[in-house]
Amino acid sequence: MAAELSPIDKAKFVAAKRAVDFVENGMKLGLGTGSTAAWMVRCLAERIREEGLRVTGVPTSSRTAELARSLGIPITSLDEARWLDLTIDGADEFDTELNLIKGGGAALLQEKIVATASDQMIVITDAAKSVTQLGAFPLPVEVIPFGWQTSKALIEELLVSMDVLNRDCSLRMNGDAALITDEGNYIVDLHLKRIGNPRQLAMVLNQIPGVVENGLFIDICDIVIIGHGDGRVVVRDINTGDVQDDRVDFVPSDNIFADMGE
């Protein structure tokens, strides 16, 4: 079955497979959202089934919660768990300092809360997400529905003084209506093309009335695992400076692939 995966899905799979090697018995885990994180949830479920691994997951979205439940992963709320050992999630972009843009799946608020409530964050991704400077991927900003157009106008005004290449902003849609996040908010996507100072932008965006959170994850990620379509994985630890080249074999597993209804 693994041979039928596209190269990009193979890259996501091997990154996810390598990431769950970091999971130990008794851990409380943040479970990310998105296509790469979904592979991680499946790989984690396989370890639980085959090894009797005992963990508790805190999902970062209703989608991840549903998937985890369907695969038999015990889950709880962050309020119940209080603090987590590890969060594993994907990213839309990451730079050389492991700063991230996240929120392509509209789950950035819960993702950031869960990640910052963890001792460690591992990001699983493919090589295409690696950039010299963040900003090619639209930066999501979560805003409350009340007065969202005012919040958007204030964001556009703020961007005039920021080191960005472009300042176009758009409301994220779901068909003919505004997309609604799990927390009942809207997403405004900032099409900046290049962000010269992500740290500064992350701080000032959150000072705008109506802005709940933004998709810049600064100094949160500890390890990035980059998967490749040939099974190679690169593990980079920002804290130690270590970079490891590894390989994950494609072993067909009914436990992982038979569940897929997508």
Side-chain angles (χ1 to χ4, degrees):
M1 179 69 73
E4 299 175 12
L5 294 177
S6 67
I8 189 66
D9 279 332
K10 287 181 181 179
K12 293 176 179 181
F13 169 67
V14 296
K17 187 83 168 175
R18 181 66 181 87
V20 299
D21 289 342
F22 286 84
V23 178
E24 299 176 1
N25 250 333
M27 277 189 167
K28 292 183 285 187
L29 302 171
L31 306 178
T33 294
S35 58
T36 310
W39 282 113
M40 176 272 298
V41 173
R42 294 181 183 281
C43 291
L44 179 63
E46 183 183 46
R47 283 198 62 192
I48 291 172
R49 285 190 295 257
E50 296 191 353
E51 302 173 25
L53 184 71
R54 294 177 292 101
V55 296
T56 302
V58 173
T60 55
S61 68
S62 56
R63 285 166 289 157
T64 298
E66 182 179 357
L67 177 61
R69 286 193 195 98
S70 72
L71 296 174
I73 298 175
I75 62 172
T76 189
S77 67
L78 183 58
D79 288 334
E80 183 68 26
R82 299 182 66 84
W83 195 260
L84 308 178
D85 299 291
L86 173 65
T87 286
I88 305 175
D89 205 345
D92 298 302
E93 281 186 349
F94 68 95
D95 66 14
T96 55
E97 297 179 355
L98 303 196
N99 294 316
L100 320 170
I101 287 182
K102 288 179 53 55
L108 67 99
L109 178 57
Q110 291 188 26
E111 287 173 335
K112 188 174 280 191
I113 292 171
V114 168
T116 54
S118 305
D119 287 336
Q120 189 176 51
M121 181 188 191
I122 295 176
V123 163
I124 47 178
T125 184
D126 58 86
K129 306 293 178 58
S130 176
V131 297
T132 303
Q133 282 190 307
L134 299 175
F137 190 91
L139 173 63
V141 178
E142 187 157 342
V143 301
I144 66 170
F146 177 81
W148 74 266
Q149 294 192 56
T150 299
S151 298
K152 177 175 175 287
L154 289 170
I155 292 170
E156 291 168 339
E157 182 179 343
L158 168 72
L159 292 176
V160 173
S161 61
M162 293 291 104
D163 183 9
V164 296
L165 192 60
N166 194 61
R167 298 193 296 272
D168 293 339
C169 302
S170 61
L171 181 68
R172 191 179 300 184
M173 305 297 289
N174 181 17
D176 295 330
L179 181 143
I180 306 295
T181 70
D182 277 355
E183 299 301 320
N185 297 317
Y186 292 168
I187 297 285
V188 174
D189 288 313
L190 315 187
H191 305 270
L192 307 178
K193 297 186 178 178
R194 179 186 59 79
I195 301 172
N197 191 334
R199 188 182 307 275
Q200 178 191 38
L201 183 59
M203 288 190 297
V204 296
L205 279 171
N206 283 8
Q207 295 174 14
I208 294 175
V211 169
V212 180
E213 191 50 84
N214 68 83
L216 285 166
F217 283 52
I218 310 297
D219 298 333
I220 297 177
C221 175
D222 297 284
I223 294 173
V224 64
I225 300 178
I226 306 164
H228 297 264
D230 61 357
R232 186 169 63 92
V233 291
V234 176
V235 181
R236 183 179 168 214
D237 189 322
I238 192 68
N239 299 310
T240 65
D242 291 343
V243 179
Q244 298 178 1
D245 253 308
D246 206 345
R247 181 167 293 277
V248 173
D249 292 329
F250 291 111
V251 180
S253 169
D254 290 340
N255 282 343
I256 288 180
F257 296 101
D259 302 300
M260 297 187 67
E262 300 151 6

